[in-house]
Amino acid sequence: MKDTSYKNKQFVLLGMTFLSVAGIAGCSKVELAQSTVTLELGDELSENVADYLQNPDEKILKGASLDLSAIDETKVGSYNAAIAYDGKNYPFTVEVKDTTSPQCEAKDYIYMQPGTLTMDDLITEIKDASETSSGIVSCEQKDDLVVCDYDDMLQEKAAVDNAEPHDGADYQESVQLDDEGCYEVTAQVKDSEGNFTDITLNVYVDGTAPELAQNVIDLDVDASGISIDDINTDDAEKIADMLHELPDFTDAEWAVASDAFCQDNKISYEFEQKSFNQQKENPIEVLNVHCTVEDQAGNANEVDYEVTVTYTGLDASALMEKTGLILQTSDDTSKGEKSGNVNVAGKKQTGEYKGNDTVNDLGMTDAEFAEMFDSMTPEEREAFIISLGEGDQANDTKESGYYNSDYAQQVFAMVNQERANNGLAALTWDSSMTSYSDRRAKEITTDFSHNSAGGEMNVGENIAKGAISPDMVMDGWMRSDGHRANILNANYTKISVSCYYDGSTYYWVQNFAY
């Protein structure tokens, strides 16, 4: 019998070697790229297996699965993760960290009035993955405003850095800046992980409003574009509107502003017609121009100016002939007197007035009367003519005086309209005060003051004389700060109004009560 053990042993060894090699060739090795993966808070974690393995082959990539279920990408922390392959787990750690300083949208400079500076004024937007806190950490005055330059301010940029940390206990939500000057202010934004951003900028505090000086007194406007042939007789009352819309009020420099610091003031204009005169060679309009100037810090100033506009290039004679909007006078030398025939928009009233050297019933000469009439608006002229007609019809009443209740009610309605325009509640008519207002209206014919001879009531009071219509008296009161304040007093709830005509002059009284 042959000994075959040696050969059998060789065969077994060869077989084992073959199996070993085959096993190595058939099983891929899993190696993690790193045992700890760091993720910045706010970023997204990859779900690709290949990103977590070192040189993986296709077999591993097809057979391996990634488990990230324990990870909260929105919170800082240390989390467990794993790759599973061929029945085995290969664990690794994911560290979610916040190492990024907050991003801030900040202004480069601030130009403001004296007052409170807040964090919202300094920083408009904060971006960070963590919760943040913020506050003003320093505020120091650098210079007086008089030595600062406005143009230099416009070129400034805020400084952003991460150099100097501050304790949250130092944070201030606001600082009070009451004195003019240039201040250097630093604000800090810090997240919950201690990352921070500092913003440093200059704050210019200006409490002085610009000054206004009238730049234009007389203005010539080309009105040649208006054709007389295109104007119908029915359009007579509109001719003034057609003309006074010609000036470019938006661009006209009615006033010039001067400011010790700001070189970028905004001037705006509102205007209203004071008078319109077509008796001249060129029609002339007088405007009340209300100018408002405001610097970039919000300091404002207001001034009223009178501007005379002369309309050139218009056939004024043809216009007057066609529309009849003129004051005509004719001499009657046999009587040594002048009679005035007033024609306004086709409505005529005739009255008799004394010569130029004689004072008429209105207390003025013919020349003075003509000047006054020229200065009136069409509405004022019509009201004046109506008042003359009332006088012709009731001379006896005029001599003894009378109360015009219709005018009083018109003023009452106008008061409530002004209050509505200013967001205030309407006043109610108080009949119990009417007798007091009537008495006051008659009293001021001899003592034009707020002294009541018959006992006083606890009321506010506006008085006026000489205005010939409700529109005229309300216009005068609304132009006066004190009278306007009474009309627009939010605390008043009741009113009475009286209008008394003593034969030559209208006297007006408003009384207000709570």
Side-chain angles (χ1 to χ4, degrees):
M1 186 174 175
K2 294 182 179 181
D3 185 1
T4 59
S5 61
Y6 175 74
K7 290 183 177 181
N8 289 334
K9 290 178 180 179
Q10 285 184 321
F11 178 78
V12 172
L13 290 172
L14 287 171
M16 292 176 65
T17 301
F18 175 78
L19 290 173
S20 176
V21 172
I24 294 173
C27 296
S28 298
K29 187 177 181 182
V30 176
E31 293 186 26
L32 295 172
Q34 49 189 340
S35 61
T36 301
V37 175
T38 300
L39 177 70
E40 183 67 25
L41 184 66
D43 291 345
E44 293 185 358
L45 195 62
S46 173
E47 296 182 357
N48 187 355
V49 174
D51 292 336
Y52 300 92
L53 297 176
Q54 184 174 349
N55 302 321
D57 58 28
E58 290 298 324
K59 185 176 181 181
I60 293 177
L61 294 179
K62 290 180 180 180
S65 62
L66 181 62
D67 182 9
L68 303 175
S69 60
I71 301 172
D72 186 350
E73 297 172 332
T74 66
K75 294 182 179 180
V76 172
S78 180
Y79 302 93
N80 294 324
I83 294 175
Y85 178 71
D86 196 23
K88 293 183 179 181
N89 281 335
Y90 299 88
F92 62 95
T93 301
V94 175
E95 295 284 350
V96 179
K97 296 183 177 181
D98 184 1
T99 62
T100 304
S101 297
Q103 294 181 344
C104 305
E105 292 289 336
K107 297 182 180 179
D108 291 322
Y109 61 87
I110 292 178
Y111 179 36
M112 60 176 283
Q113 295 178 346
T116 303
L117 178 71
T118 69
M119 277 297 298
D120 290 339
D121 298 323
L122 297 166
I123 298 177
T124 57
E125 187 174 351
I126 298 172
K127 296 180 181 178
D128 195 83
S130 298
E131 292 185 1
T132 61
S133 58
S134 60
I136 299 172
V137 294
S138 68
C139 178
E140 296 182 0
Q141 184 170 352
K142 293 172 54 180
D143 296 302
D144 292 333
L145 193 63
V146 292
V147 302
C148 297
D149 186 84
Y150 181 78
D151 291 331
D152 289 345
M153 179 194 75
L154 300 179
Q155 305 302 317
E156 292 179 354
K157 298 294 180 183
V160 181
D161 62 56
N162 311 97
E164 186 177 353
H166 293 272
D167 193 292
D170 297 333
Y171 289 179
Q172 300 179 71
E173 177 59 29
S174 64
V175 291
Q176 191 69 21
L177 303 178
D178 292 327
D179 297 327
E180 290 189 343
C182 176
Y183 297 79
E184 184 176 85
V185 179
T186 298
Q188 184 173 91
V189 180
K190 183 186 294 185
D191 64 25
S192 57
E193 297 304 303
N195 306 297
F196 64 89
T197 299
D198 289 337
I199 306 290
T200 301
L201 54 86
N202 286 335
V203 177
Y204 295 83
V205 179
D206 183 359
T208 304
E211 295 291 334
L212 272 169
Q214 187 169 8
N215 190 41
V216 175
I217 299 176
D218 299 304
L219 183 67
D220 290 333
V221 175
D222 183 6
S224 58
I226 295 181
S227 174
I228 303 302
D229 295 334
D230 295 335
I231 300 175
N232 299 322
T233 304
D234 294 339
D235 295 329
E237 295 181 359
K238 301 178 181 177
I239 183 60
D241 292 335
M242 295 173 64
L243 289 174
H244 83 242
E245 289 177 359
L246 291 176
D248 188 350
F249 296 109
T250 301
D251 297 332
E253 294 184 357
W254 300 109
V256 292
S258 59
D259 193 295
F261 179 70
C262 182
Q263 305 304 314
D264 191 19
N265 301 298
K266 297 178 180 178
I267 303 179
S268 59
Y269 312 94
E270 295 179 355
F271 67 93
E272 64 179 0
Q273 186 186 77
K274 182 178 180 182
S275 65
F276 185 80
N277 187 347
Q278 284 186 230
Q279 291 182 270
K280 308 296 182 182
E281 179 181 353
N282 296 306
I284 296 175
E285 183 176 36
V286 179
L287 300 174
N288 285 327
V289 181
H290 182 74
C291 298
T292 301
V293 62
E294 183 174 344
D295 64 23
Q296 297 300 312
N299 301 297
N301 203 355
E302 300 181 10
V303 179
D304 289 310
Y305 298 125
E306 185 175 276
V307 177
T308 300
V309 184
T310 301
Y311 297 96
T312 60
L314 185 68
D315 189 345
S317 298
L319 180 64
M320 288 188 289
E321 180 179 350
K322 190 166 189 176
T323 63
L325 291 177
I326 57 174
L327 175 66
Q328 301 170 331
T329 59
S330 59
D331 292 329
D332 185 348
T333 55
S334 63
K335 295 183 180 180
E337 299 174 348
K338 287 187 177 182
S339 61
N341 182 21
V342 181
N343 179 347
V344 178
K347 298 180 181 179
K348 298 183 178 180
Q349 287 288 343
T350 302
E352 184 172 314
Y353 306 99
K354 303 300 181 181
N356 280 333
D357 296 328
T358 306
V359 176
N360 59 29
D361 293 337
L362 298 177
M364 60 184 71
T365 65
D366 279 354
E368 291 171 342
F369 171 79
E371 182 179 358
M372 178 200 73
F373 196 83
D374 285 347
S375 68
M376 294 181 183
T377 65
E379 293 79 10
E380 291 171 344
R381 291 177 182 177
E382 185 171 356
F384 179 71
I385 292 166
I386 291 172
S387 71
L388 293 179
E390 291 173 351
D392 291 339
Q393 298 166 13
N395 283 325
D396 293 338
T397 306
K398 273 185 162 184
E399 292 173 1
S400 58
Y402 69 98
Y403 291 95
N404 192 324
S405 60
D406 179 62
Y407 275 8
Q409 287 298 319
Q410 289 184 50
V411 170
F412 171 55
M414 291 177 185
V415 167
N416 279 335
Q417 184 59 55
E418 291 290 349
R419 291 177 68 87
N421 293 343
N422 288 272
L424 299 174
L427 300 177
T428 59
W429 183 273
D430 190 337
S431 300
S432 64
M433 286 199 302
T434 304
S435 59
Y436 175 77
S437 298
D438 286 346
R439 174 164 55 80
R440 290 290 299 124
K442 196 168 185 179
E443 281 179 354
I444 62 176
T445 63
T446 56
D447 180 14
F448 189 76
S449 71
H450 291 290
N451 300 321
S452 175
E456 297 182 356
M457 292 183 66
N458 186 23
V459 297
E461 182 174 85
N462 285 343
I463 61 175
K465 69 176 180 179
I468 60 174
S469 69
D471 284 332
M472 185 181 292
V473 73
M474 278 297 294
D475 180 70
W477 278 332
M478 292 302 292
R479 290 173 182 273
S480 166
D481 291 343
H483 298 89
R484 178 187 176 93
N486 274 340
I487 293 171
L488 300 182
N489 188 325
N491 295 319
Y492 288 143
T493 61
K494 297 180 291 186
I495 188 175
S496 62
V497 182
S498 294
C499 172
Y500 182 78
Y501 187 79
D502 74 343
S504 63
T505 304
Y506 282 100
Y507 292 84
W508 308 80
V509 172
Q510 290 176 329
N511 287 126
F512 305 85
Y514 300 102

